[in-house]
């Protein structure tokens, strides 16, 4: 293959693998005829998507995009003194309330809080849930997280991305950075203009001590990411790359 042919091949390959990025999604204008997109967020428990990227999900929903939150578990082990069934009923209702505020559709994947698994059956199930939404962009936990359920949610989503025939852009969010999310360095930022809407969604999870969630560092995270992005407050994300994404057309 001569040099010119190789260059054309690289350009064609890059064009074929071009995916919708978060900046593209946020800066598109209705006048440009941009079709509404489908957004999916996969979180380990009720309150994780809300605290990790609730502002971004609210912002995308307000722009007219369809947002779905897939909760890997229903938080069965998250309320001391309550049975798994009792806790799941409480936390599911809290998640439903939060999704109403974010204008998102809730989906529950059916795994058990504290006992999540990343086997072939779990992967196949999540693949089906994600494929049913036909997403353009997916958010999930950062894989280097101290919580096992967060790691499982991330791993299953990564494998879903790898195995998906219809490619979507994949972004990782942070929760309680320094205590749970570790070694996180954002590649993208979203201005948290919907900061109050996010807070209201987090405060729907009354069983989880919402002030404690923010005391875990979320307010500081929004402030610091905002400083990095040059705005009042922001949420940070790491974009997944690979399988030809980001190919430079020489």
């Amino acid at each position: 293959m001569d040099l010119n042919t190789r260059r054309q091949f690289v350009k064609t390959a890059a064009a074929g693998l071009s995916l919708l990025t978060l900046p593209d999604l946020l800066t598109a204008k209705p006048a440009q005829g941009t079709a509404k997109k489908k957004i999916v967020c996969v979180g380990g428990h009720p309150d994780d998507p809300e605290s990790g990227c609730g502002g971004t999900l609210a912002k995308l929903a307000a722009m007219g995009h369809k947002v779905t939150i897939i909760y890997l578990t229903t938080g069965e082990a998250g309320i001391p003194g309550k049975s798994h069934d009792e806790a799941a009923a409480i936390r599911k209702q809290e998640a439903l309330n939060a999704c109403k505020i974010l204008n998102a559709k809730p989906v529950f994947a059916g795994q058990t809080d504290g006992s999540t698994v990343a086997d072939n059956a779990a992967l196949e199930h999540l693949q089906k849930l994600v494929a049913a939404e036909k997403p353009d962009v997916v958010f999930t936990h950062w894989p280097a997280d101290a919580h096992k359920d967060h790691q499982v949610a991330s791993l299953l989503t990564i494998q879903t991305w790898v195995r998906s025939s219809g490619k979507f852009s994949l972004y990782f969010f942070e929760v309680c950075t320094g205590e749970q999310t570790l070694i996180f360095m954002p590649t993208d930022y979203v201005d948290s203009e919907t900061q109050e809407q996010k807070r209201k969604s987090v405060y729907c999870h009354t069983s989880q001590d919402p002030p404690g969630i923010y005391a875990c560092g979320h307010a500081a995270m929004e402030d610091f990411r905002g400083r990095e992005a040059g705005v009042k407050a922001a949420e940070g994300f790491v974009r997944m790359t690979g399988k030809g994404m980001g190919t430079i057309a020489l």
Side-chain angles (χ1 to χ4, degrees), residues 159-203:
Q159 281 299 309
T160 295
W161 178 81
V162 169
R163 296 161 186 253
S164 175
S165 57
K167 282 297 173 212
F168 51 81
S169 293
L170 178 60
Y171 287 88
F172 302 104
F173 60 79
E174 56 184 334
V175 290
C176 201
T177 288
E179 294 182 38
Q180 292 188 16
T181 300
L182 309 173
I183 57 171
F184 190 85
M185 299 181 66
T187 59
D188 294 81
Y189 300 85
V190 176
D191 187 342
S192 291
E193 299 165 314
T194 47
Q195 194 175 19
E196 186 57 32
Q197 192 175 353
K198 170 184 178 175
R199 180 178 287 271
K200 288 179 179 178
S201 74
V202 172
Y203 269 74

Side-chain angles (χ1 to χ4, degrees), residues 8-245:
Q8 185 58 45
F9 175 80
V10 171
K11 289 179 181 179
T12 302
L17 290 165
S18 177
L19 296 179
L20 179 71
T21 66
L22 197 49
D24 292 337
L25 189 63
L26 293 165
T27 58
K29 298 178 180 179
Q32 296 173 312
T34 304
K36 300 305 181 184
K37 304 300 181 182
K38 292 187 176 181
I39 315 300
V40 169
C41 180
V42 181
H45 319 90
D47 80 34
D48 286 328
E50 294 88 333
S51 61
C53 60
T56 298
L57 297 180
K59 187 169 188 174
L60 293 173
M63 293 173 67
H65 303 299
K66 294 183 178 179
V67 176
T68 297
I69 297 177
I70 299 176
Y71 298 99
L72 187 64
T73 78
T74 319
E76 293 82 356
I79 306 179
K82 298 289 186 182
S83 69
H84 276 199
D85 287 344
E86 290 172 329
I90 293 170
R91 298 199 67 186
K92 182 175 184 179
Q93 186 58 56
E94 291 174 345
L96 294 176
N97 296 341
C99 283
K100 286 182 181 179
I101 289 175
L102 297 176
N103 296 311
K105 180 179 79 173
V107 174
F108 298 89
Q111 289 216 40
T112 302
D113 183 8
S115 300
T116 55
V117 294
D119 59 14
N120 288 337
L123 174 57
E124 183 178 353
H125 182 53
L126 185 65
Q127 283 181 279
K128 289 180 179 178
L129 293 178
V130 172
E133 300 300 325
K134 297 181 174 61
D136 297 288
V137 176
V138 173
F139 298 97
T140 193
H141 290 278
W142 177 239
D145 196 290
H147 199 301
K148 179 178 74 71
D149 292 344
H150 296 181
Q151 291 183 358
V152 170
S154 183
L155 176 60
L156 292 176
T157 307
I158 291 170
Q159 281 299 309
T160 295
W161 178 81
V162 169
R163 296 161 186 253
S164 175
S165 57
K167 282 297 173 212
F168 51 81
S169 293
L170 178 60
Y171 287 88
F172 302 104
F173 60 79
E174 56 184 334
V175 290
C176 201
T177 288
E179 294 182 38
Q180 292 188 16
T181 300
L182 309 173
I183 57 171
F184 190 85
M185 299 181 66
T187 59
D188 294 81
Y189 300 85
V190 176
D191 187 342
S192 291
E193 299 165 314
T194 47
Q195 194 175 19
E196 186 57 32
Q197 192 175 353
K198 170 184 178 175
R199 180 178 287 271
K200 288 179 179 178
S201 74
V202 172
Y203 269 74
C204 286
H205 298 276
T206 54
S207 70
Q208 301 305 296
D209 180 26
I213 293 175
Y214 271 91
C216 185
H218 285 280
M221 285 160 51
E222 290 179 7
D223 177 72
F224 182 67
R225 298 309 180 199
R227 290 173 184 270
E228 289 183 315
V231 295
K232 179 182 177 181
E235 292 174 338
F237 301 90
V238 172
R239 184 185 180 210
M240 182 70 161
T241 60
K243 296 177 74 66
M245 294 173 63

